[in-house]
Amino acid sequence: MSYGTADSFRPVTLDDVRGARKMLAGVARATAMEGSRHLTQLVGAPVHFKCENLQRTGSFKLRGAYVRIAGLLPEERAAGVVAASAGNHAQGVALASSLLGVRSTVFMPKGAPLPKISATREYGAEVRLHGQVVDEALAAAQEYADATGAVFIHPFDHPDVIAGQGTVGLEILEQCPEVRTIVVGIGGGGLAAGIAVAVKALRPDVRIVGVQAAGAAAYPPSLAAGRPVALGNPATMADGIKVGRPGEVPFAIVGELVDEVRTVTEDELAAALLLCLERAKLVVEPAGASPVAALLSAPEAFDGPVVAVLSGGNVDPVLMERVLRHGMAAQGRYLAVRLRLTDRPGALASLLGTLSAVDANVLDVSHLRTDPRLGLTEAEVELHLETKGPAHCAEVGRALRDAGYTVID
Protein backbone atom coordinates (compact mmCIF):
# COMPACT_ATOMS: atom_id res chain seq x y z
CA MET A 1 0.00 0.00 0.00
CA SER A 2 1.39 3.42 -0.91
CA TYR A 3 0.62 6.61 0.93
CA GLY A 4 2.82 8.86 -1.19
CA THR A 5 2.24 11.28 -4.04
CA ALA A 6 4.66 12.80 -6.51
CA ASP A 7 5.14 15.64 -4.02
CA SER A 8 6.12 13.10 -1.37
CA PHE A 9 9.39 12.31 -3.10
CA ARG A 10 10.85 15.77 -3.58
CA PRO A 11 14.10 16.31 -1.66
CA VAL A 12 14.22 18.02 1.73
CA THR A 13 16.66 20.90 2.04
CA LEU A 14 18.04 23.19 4.71
CA ASP A 15 15.83 25.97 3.34
CA ASP A 16 12.81 23.71 3.88
CA VAL A 17 13.78 23.23 7.51
CA ARG A 18 14.38 26.96 8.00
CA GLY A 19 11.00 27.69 6.43
CA ALA A 20 9.39 25.17 8.74
CA ARG A 21 10.95 26.88 11.72
CA LYS A 22 9.37 30.20 10.77
CA MET A 23 6.04 28.44 10.36
CA LEU A 24 6.35 26.89 13.83
CA ALA A 25 7.13 30.17 15.61
CA GLY A 26 4.69 30.51 18.48
CA VAL A 27 3.41 26.96 17.92
CA ALA A 28 6.18 24.55 18.92
CA ARG A 29 8.42 25.18 21.90
CA ALA A 30 12.18 25.45 21.61
CA THR A 31 12.62 22.67 24.13
CA ALA A 32 15.25 22.70 26.87
CA MET A 33 18.72 21.18 26.72
CA GLU A 34 19.67 19.49 30.02
CA GLY A 35 23.04 18.09 31.03
CA SER A 36 23.46 14.53 32.35
CA ARG A 37 26.24 14.22 34.90
CA HIS A 38 25.92 10.43 35.10
CA LEU A 39 26.23 9.89 31.34
CA THR A 40 28.96 12.51 31.13
CA GLN A 41 31.02 10.42 33.55
CA LEU A 42 30.36 7.24 31.58
CA VAL A 43 31.15 8.71 28.17
CA GLY A 44 34.05 10.83 29.40
CA ALA A 45 32.66 13.92 27.65
CA PRO A 46 29.65 16.22 28.10
CA VAL A 47 26.28 14.59 27.42
CA HIS A 48 23.12 16.66 27.03
CA PHE A 49 19.46 15.75 26.68
CA LYS A 50 17.33 17.52 24.05
CA CYS A 51 14.00 17.38 25.87
CA GLU A 52 11.34 16.90 23.21
CA ASN A 53 9.43 14.97 25.89
CA LEU A 54 8.58 18.47 27.17
CA GLN A 55 7.23 19.60 23.79
CA ARG A 56 3.54 20.41 23.42
CA THR A 57 1.57 17.13 23.17
CA GLY A 58 4.55 15.40 24.81
CA SER A 59 6.65 14.70 21.71
CA PHE A 60 8.32 16.16 18.62
CA LYS A 61 5.43 15.04 16.41
CA LEU A 62 3.62 18.38 16.60
CA ARG A 63 6.42 19.97 14.56
CA GLY A 64 6.01 17.84 11.44
CA ALA A 65 2.23 17.54 11.67
CA TYR A 66 1.75 21.30 11.89
CA VAL A 67 4.07 22.04 8.95
CA ARG A 68 2.36 19.41 6.80
CA ILE A 69 -1.19 20.61 7.55
CA ALA A 70 -0.28 24.31 7.35
CA GLY A 71 1.03 23.70 3.82
CA LEU A 72 -2.28 22.32 2.51
CA LEU A 73 -4.25 24.23 -0.08
CA PRO A 74 -7.55 25.84 1.08
CA GLU A 75 -9.62 23.19 -0.67
CA GLU A 76 -7.54 20.44 0.96
CA ARG A 77 -8.04 21.95 4.40
CA ALA A 78 -11.77 22.11 3.74
CA ALA A 79 -11.82 18.35 3.12
CA GLY A 80 -10.22 17.69 6.51
CA VAL A 81 -7.30 15.46 7.40
CA VAL A 82 -6.96 11.89 8.57
CA ALA A 83 -4.11 10.09 10.33
CA ALA A 84 -3.34 6.81 12.05
CA SER A 85 -1.20 6.40 15.14
CA ALA A 86 -0.88 4.64 18.48
CA GLY A 87 -0.36 7.94 20.24
CA ASN A 88 2.24 10.64 19.56
CA HIS A 89 1.46 11.38 15.91
CA ALA A 90 -2.24 11.22 16.76
CA GLN A 91 -1.87 13.98 19.33
CA GLY A 92 0.35 16.07 17.08
CA VAL A 93 -2.16 15.93 14.23
CA ALA A 94 -5.08 16.63 16.56
CA LEU A 95 -3.51 19.75 18.07
CA ALA A 96 -2.09 21.04 14.78
CA SER A 97 -5.47 20.65 13.12
CA SER A 98 -7.24 22.46 15.94
CA LEU A 99 -4.77 25.34 15.82
CA LEU A 100 -5.29 25.65 12.06
CA GLY A 101 -9.06 25.22 12.13
CA VAL A 102 -9.00 21.95 10.19
CA ARG A 103 -11.26 18.97 10.93
CA SER A 104 -9.26 15.86 11.88
CA THR A 105 -10.03 12.17 12.17
CA VAL A 106 -7.52 9.83 13.76
CA PHE A 107 -7.59 6.04 13.59
CA MET A 108 -5.97 4.34 16.57
CA PRO A 109 -5.52 0.63 17.38
CA LYS A 110 -8.01 -0.74 19.87
CA GLY A 111 -5.16 -1.51 22.23
CA ALA A 112 -3.76 2.05 22.25
CA PRO A 113 -3.17 3.36 25.80
CA LEU A 114 -6.26 5.08 27.20
CA PRO A 115 -4.36 8.28 28.19
CA LYS A 116 -3.25 8.73 24.55
CA ILE A 117 -6.77 8.14 23.23
CA SER A 118 -8.21 10.65 25.71
CA ALA A 119 -5.54 13.26 24.95
CA THR A 120 -6.12 12.93 21.20
CA ARG A 121 -9.83 13.57 21.68
CA GLU A 122 -9.16 16.50 23.99
CA TYR A 123 -6.92 18.08 21.35
CA GLY A 124 -9.93 18.10 19.04
CA ALA A 125 -9.75 15.02 16.82
CA GLU A 126 -12.46 12.50 16.17
CA VAL A 127 -10.94 9.21 17.28
CA ARG A 128 -11.90 5.93 15.63
CA LEU A 129 -10.57 2.68 17.10
CA HIS A 130 -9.72 0.08 14.47
CA GLY A 131 -7.64 -3.06 14.43
CA GLN A 132 -5.11 -4.38 16.90
CA VAL A 133 -1.93 -2.84 15.44
CA VAL A 134 -0.95 0.44 13.81
CA ASP A 135 -0.72 -1.13 10.34
CA GLU A 136 -4.42 -1.99 10.50
CA ALA A 137 -5.26 1.52 11.64
CA LEU A 138 -3.15 2.90 8.77
CA ALA A 139 -5.07 0.83 6.24
CA ALA A 140 -8.38 2.06 7.67
CA ALA A 141 -7.18 5.66 7.56
CA GLN A 142 -6.20 5.31 3.90
CA GLU A 143 -9.61 3.82 3.08
CA TYR A 144 -11.25 6.74 4.87
CA ALA A 145 -9.13 9.20 2.88
CA ASP A 146 -10.05 7.51 -0.40
CA ALA A 147 -13.75 7.54 0.47
CA THR A 148 -14.04 11.08 1.84
CA GLY A 149 -11.30 13.10 0.14
CA ALA A 150 -9.63 13.86 3.48
CA VAL A 151 -5.86 14.39 3.23
CA PHE A 152 -3.84 11.57 4.74
CA ILE A 153 -1.14 12.92 7.08
CA HIS A 154 1.62 10.34 7.16
CA PRO A 155 3.62 10.15 10.40
CA PHE A 156 7.01 10.26 8.69
CA ASP A 157 6.97 9.68 4.94
CA HIS A 158 6.53 13.23 3.58
CA PRO A 159 9.03 16.09 3.02
CA ASP A 160 6.95 18.62 4.98
CA VAL A 161 6.84 16.33 7.99
CA ILE A 162 10.59 15.74 7.78
CA ALA A 163 11.26 19.47 7.45
CA GLY A 164 9.21 20.12 10.57
CA GLN A 165 11.10 17.50 12.55
CA GLY A 166 14.36 18.96 11.26
CA THR A 167 13.80 22.09 13.34
CA VAL A 168 14.99 20.01 16.30
CA GLY A 169 18.40 19.88 14.60
CA LEU A 170 18.58 23.66 14.22
CA GLU A 171 17.84 24.09 17.91
CA ILE A 172 20.50 21.56 18.88
CA LEU A 173 23.20 23.46 16.94
CA GLU A 174 22.20 26.72 18.61
CA GLN A 175 21.93 25.29 22.12
CA CYS A 176 25.07 23.13 21.91
CA PRO A 177 27.28 24.59 19.14
CA GLU A 178 30.20 22.38 20.20
CA VAL A 179 28.24 19.15 19.66
CA ARG A 180 30.13 16.30 17.98
CA THR A 181 27.56 13.48 18.13
CA ILE A 182 23.76 13.49 18.00
CA VAL A 183 21.96 10.30 19.02
CA VAL A 184 18.31 9.92 18.00
CA GLY A 185 15.76 7.13 17.99
CA ILE A 186 14.51 5.83 14.64
CA GLY A 187 11.13 4.33 13.84
CA GLY A 188 10.00 5.29 10.36
CA GLY A 189 12.91 7.71 10.17
CA GLY A 190 11.28 11.14 9.95
CA LEU A 191 12.98 12.69 12.99
CA ALA A 192 16.44 11.31 12.21
CA ALA A 193 16.13 12.36 8.57
CA GLY A 194 15.04 15.88 9.45
CA ILE A 195 17.81 16.37 11.99
CA ALA A 196 20.35 14.98 9.52
CA VAL A 197 19.26 17.39 6.77
CA ALA A 198 19.61 20.41 9.05
CA VAL A 199 22.77 19.41 10.88
CA LYS A 200 24.81 17.98 8.00
CA ALA A 201 24.14 21.09 5.89
CA LEU A 202 25.59 23.34 8.59
CA ARG A 203 27.99 21.01 10.43
CA PRO A 204 28.98 18.04 8.24
CA ASP A 205 31.52 17.03 10.90
CA VAL A 206 28.79 16.16 13.42
CA ARG A 207 28.22 12.42 13.68
CA ILE A 208 24.57 11.34 13.68
CA VAL A 209 23.71 7.97 15.21
CA GLY A 210 20.27 6.42 14.90
CA VAL A 211 18.95 3.94 17.45
CA GLN A 212 16.35 1.21 16.96
CA ALA A 213 14.85 -1.36 19.29
CA ALA A 214 16.38 -4.73 18.42
CA GLY A 215 12.94 -6.29 18.01
CA ALA A 216 11.79 -3.64 15.54
CA ALA A 217 15.00 -2.81 13.69
CA ALA A 218 13.97 -2.43 10.06
CA TYR A 219 16.75 -0.02 9.09
CA PRO A 220 19.84 -2.29 9.32
CA PRO A 221 18.47 -4.88 6.83
CA SER A 222 16.99 -2.12 4.68
CA LEU A 223 20.28 -0.25 4.48
CA ALA A 224 22.06 -3.50 3.68
CA ALA A 225 19.56 -4.20 0.88
CA GLY A 226 19.61 -0.62 -0.44
CA ARG A 227 15.81 -0.33 -0.19
CA PRO A 228 13.13 -0.34 2.53
CA VAL A 229 12.55 -3.89 3.77
CA ALA A 230 9.51 -4.81 5.84
CA LEU A 231 9.86 -6.76 9.08
CA GLY A 232 7.51 -9.67 9.59
CA ASN A 233 6.47 -8.99 13.17
CA PRO A 234 8.15 -6.05 14.93
CA ALA A 235 8.04 -6.44 18.70
CA THR A 236 9.12 -3.92 21.32
CA MET A 237 7.65 -1.99 24.22
CA ALA A 238 8.92 1.19 22.52
CA ASP A 239 5.76 1.81 20.49
CA GLY A 240 7.03 5.18 19.29
CA ILE A 241 9.70 3.44 17.17
CA LYS A 242 7.82 0.22 16.51
CA VAL A 243 7.65 0.59 12.74
CA GLY A 244 7.83 -2.42 10.44
CA ARG A 245 9.13 -0.66 7.33
CA PRO A 246 11.14 2.55 6.78
CA GLY A 247 9.48 5.37 4.87
CA GLU A 248 10.70 5.89 1.31
CA VAL A 249 11.55 9.57 1.81
CA PRO A 250 13.34 9.31 5.16
CA PHE A 251 15.09 6.10 4.10
CA ALA A 252 16.88 7.90 1.28
CA ILE A 253 18.00 10.66 3.64
CA VAL A 254 19.05 8.33 6.47
CA GLY A 255 21.03 6.20 4.02
CA GLU A 256 22.94 9.25 2.81
CA LEU A 257 23.34 11.38 5.94
CA VAL A 258 23.04 9.25 9.08
CA ASP A 259 26.43 7.83 10.00
CA GLU A 260 25.36 4.73 11.92
CA VAL A 261 22.27 2.87 13.10
CA ARG A 262 22.62 0.91 16.35
CA THR A 263 20.17 -1.38 18.14
CA VAL A 264 19.31 -1.71 21.83
CA THR A 265 17.60 -4.46 23.81
CA GLU A 266 14.44 -4.26 25.88
CA ASP A 267 16.52 -4.50 29.06
CA GLU A 268 18.65 -1.58 27.91
CA LEU A 269 15.53 0.46 27.15
CA ALA A 270 14.16 -0.27 30.61
CA ALA A 271 17.43 0.74 32.27
CA ALA A 272 17.51 3.97 30.24
CA LEU A 273 13.96 4.91 31.19
CA LEU A 274 14.80 4.29 34.83
CA LEU A 275 17.91 6.47 34.58
CA CYS A 276 15.95 9.33 33.02
CA LEU A 277 13.42 9.20 35.83
CA GLU A 278 15.83 8.77 38.74
CA ARG A 279 18.82 10.83 37.67
CA ALA A 280 17.36 13.49 35.36
CA LYS A 281 13.85 13.64 36.89
CA LEU A 282 12.41 13.36 33.39
CA VAL A 283 9.43 11.22 32.38
CA VAL A 284 10.42 9.65 29.06
CA GLU A 285 8.69 6.91 27.07
CA PRO A 286 10.75 3.89 25.97
CA ALA A 287 11.17 5.20 22.41
CA GLY A 288 12.38 8.53 23.77
CA ALA A 289 14.88 6.76 26.00
CA SER A 290 16.43 4.75 23.15
CA PRO A 291 19.38 7.16 22.66
CA VAL A 292 20.10 6.92 26.39
CA ALA A 293 20.00 3.13 26.11
CA ALA A 294 22.60 3.28 23.34
CA LEU A 295 24.87 5.47 25.46
CA LEU A 296 24.52 3.16 28.45
CA SER A 297 25.25 0.05 26.40
CA ALA A 298 28.42 1.36 24.72
CA PRO A 299 29.57 4.69 26.22
CA GLU A 300 32.99 4.35 24.61
CA ALA A 301 31.45 4.45 21.12
CA PHE A 302 30.42 8.12 21.25
CA ASP A 303 32.62 11.18 20.87
CA GLY A 304 31.46 14.14 22.92
CA PRO A 305 29.94 16.51 23.44
CA VAL A 306 26.91 14.29 22.80
CA VAL A 307 23.27 15.31 22.46
CA ALA A 308 20.69 12.58 23.06
CA VAL A 309 17.25 13.45 21.72
CA LEU A 310 14.51 12.46 24.17
CA SER A 311 11.81 12.32 21.53
CA GLY A 312 8.74 11.82 23.71
CA GLY A 313 7.30 11.43 27.18
CA ASN A 314 3.86 9.95 26.53
CA VAL A 315 4.16 6.74 28.49
CA ASP A 316 1.18 4.73 29.71
CA PRO A 317 1.32 4.59 33.56
CA VAL A 318 0.66 0.83 33.46
CA LEU A 319 3.61 0.33 31.10
CA MET A 320 5.72 2.69 33.21
CA GLU A 321 5.17 0.52 36.27
CA ARG A 322 6.13 -2.65 34.39
CA VAL A 323 9.15 -1.04 32.76
CA LEU A 324 10.45 0.41 36.01
CA ARG A 325 10.26 -2.97 37.72
CA HIS A 326 11.94 -4.60 34.74
CA GLY A 327 14.63 -1.93 34.75
CA MET A 328 15.24 -2.44 38.45
CA ALA A 329 15.51 -6.19 37.88
CA ALA A 330 17.97 -5.68 35.03
CA GLN A 331 20.12 -3.58 37.37
CA GLY A 332 19.93 -6.16 40.14
CA ARG A 333 17.70 -3.91 42.24
CA TYR A 334 14.61 -6.09 42.17
CA LEU A 335 14.65 -9.62 43.54
CA ALA A 336 11.93 -12.27 43.50
CA VAL A 337 12.43 -15.20 45.88
CA ARG A 338 10.30 -18.19 46.79
CA LEU A 339 10.92 -20.22 49.92
CA ARG A 340 9.29 -22.62 52.39
CA LEU A 341 8.94 -22.16 56.08
CA THR A 342 7.19 -23.81 59.02
CA ASP A 343 3.54 -22.80 59.17
CA ARG A 344 3.34 -21.53 62.73
CA PRO A 345 2.33 -18.22 64.35
CA GLY A 346 5.03 -15.60 63.92
CA ALA A 347 6.88 -17.43 61.14
CA LEU A 348 6.12 -14.78 58.53
CA ALA A 349 7.01 -12.00 60.97
CA SER A 350 10.37 -13.66 61.62
CA LEU A 351 11.04 -13.88 57.89
CA LEU A 352 10.21 -10.22 57.39
CA GLY A 353 12.46 -9.37 60.33
CA THR A 354 15.36 -11.16 58.64
CA LEU A 355 14.80 -9.13 55.50
CA SER A 356 14.47 -5.89 57.44
CA ALA A 357 17.80 -6.54 59.13
CA VAL A 358 19.56 -6.45 55.75
CA ASP A 359 17.58 -3.41 54.48
CA ALA A 360 15.61 -5.30 51.82
CA ASN A 361 12.39 -3.46 50.98
CA VAL A 362 9.43 -5.85 50.64
CA LEU A 363 7.18 -4.79 47.76
CA ASP A 364 4.66 -7.62 48.03
CA VAL A 365 4.17 -11.02 49.64
CA SER A 366 2.25 -14.10 48.53
CA HIS A 367 1.61 -16.60 51.35
CA LEU A 368 0.44 -20.09 50.27
CA ARG A 369 -0.70 -22.62 52.88
CA THR A 370 -2.85 -25.10 50.93
CA ASP A 371 -1.13 -26.96 48.12
CA PRO A 372 -0.57 -30.69 47.52
CA ARG A 373 3.17 -30.04 47.21
CA LEU A 374 3.37 -28.73 50.79
CA GLY A 375 3.76 -30.77 53.94
CA LEU A 376 1.21 -30.56 56.73
CA THR A 377 3.20 -27.96 58.65
CA GLU A 378 4.71 -26.13 55.67
CA ALA A 379 3.86 -22.83 53.98
CA GLU A 380 5.28 -21.35 50.82
CA VAL A 381 6.08 -17.66 50.56
CA GLU A 382 6.92 -15.66 47.44
CA LEU A 383 8.40 -12.20 47.98
CA HIS A 384 9.22 -9.35 45.62
CA LEU A 385 11.99 -7.24 47.06
CA GLU A 386 13.62 -3.94 46.20
CA THR A 387 17.37 -4.07 46.71
CA LYS A 388 20.37 -1.81 46.25
CA GLY A 389 22.08 -3.79 43.50
CA PRO A 390 23.69 -7.16 42.73
CA ALA A 391 25.88 -7.15 45.86
CA HIS A 392 22.87 -6.45 48.04
CA CYS A 393 20.93 -9.27 46.33
CA ALA A 394 23.72 -11.66 47.26
CA GLU A 395 23.68 -10.37 50.84
CA VAL A 396 19.92 -10.97 51.07
CA GLY A 397 20.38 -14.55 49.83
CA ARG A 398 23.09 -15.21 52.41
CA ALA A 399 20.95 -13.78 55.23
CA LEU A 400 18.05 -16.05 54.30
CA ARG A 401 20.27 -19.14 54.16
CA ASP A 402 22.00 -18.25 57.44
CA ALA A 403 18.57 -17.93 59.07
CA GLY A 404 17.75 -21.49 58.00
CA TYR A 405 15.39 -20.77 55.12
CA THR A 406 15.39 -22.94 52.00
CA VAL A 407 15.16 -20.74 48.93
CA ILE A 408 13.37 -22.56 46.11
CA ASP A 409 14.22 -20.02 43.36
Side-chain angles (χ1 to χ4, degrees), residues 191-379:
L191 178 61
I195 289 175
V197 167
V199 171
K200 289 292 190 177
L202 296 169
R203 286 279 309 281
D205 60 302
V206 173
R207 184 172 178 80
I208 299 178
V209 178
V211 183
Q212 293 207 285
Y219 263 90
S222 296
L223 292 170
R227 56 180 174 79
V229 174
L231 295 179
N233 186 28
T236 176
M237 64 179 167
D239 59 346
I241 53 175
K242 186 180 176 181
V243 176
R245 184 181 185 276
E248 297 282 353
V249 182
F251 175 77
I253 297 170
V254 169
E256 180 182 356
L257 298 179
V258 171
D259 296 283
E260 180 186 6
V261 176
R262 305 177 71 91
T263 62
V264 293
T265 67
E266 299 297 286
D267 284 348
E268 289 163 347
L269 286 169
L273 190 148
L274 186 61
L275 181 142
C276 289
L277 188 62
E278 285 192 326
R279 298 297 184 95
K281 314 307 177 190
L282 291 169
V283 176
V284 182
E285 62 190 271
S290 58
V292 179
L295 290 167
L296 287 174
S297 66
E300 73 287 348
F302 301 91
D303 292 330
V306 179
V307 173
V309 181
L310 307 183
S311 59
N314 293 318
V315 57
D316 183 4
V318 176
L319 175 62
M320 172 70 88
E321 181 182 8
R322 294 206 324 262
V323 169
L324 290 180
R325 286 201 174 193
H326 189 77
M328 290 171 66
Q331 292 186 354
R333 294 172 50 195
Y334 179 76
L335 177 65
V337 295
R338 189 158 56 94
L339 47 83
R340 290 182 183 176
L341 45 75
T342 302
D343 188 12
R344 59 176 175 76
L348 182 59
S350 296
L351 170 61
L352 297 178
T354 299
L355 294 170
S356 176
V358 289
D359 289 331
N361 184 32
V362 178
L363 299 175
D364 56 66
V365 178
S366 175
H367 196 187
L368 180 65
R369 288 189 175 90
T370 55
D371 190 285
R373 297 171 300 149
L374 299 174
L376 185 62
T377 60
E378 286 183 322

Side-chain angles (χ1 to χ4, degrees), residues 79-122:
V81 300
V82 61
S85 166
N88 288 348
H89 180 59
Q91 293 174 70
V93 168
L95 178 57
S97 298
S98 294
L99 293 173
L100 292 164
V102 176
R103 184 178 71 259
S104 63
T105 303
V106 176
F107 285 80
M108 304 182 75
K110 293 178 181 177
L114 290 177
K116 294 185 178 182
I117 295 172
S118 298
T120 302
R121 286 186 173 130
E122 289 172 7

Side-chain angles (χ1 to χ4, degrees), residues 331-333 335 358 387-399:
Q331 292 186 354
R333 294 172 50 195
L335 177 65
V358 289
T387 66
K388 300 172 185 177
H392 192 206
C393 286
E395 181 184 356
V396 171
R398 286 194 299 271

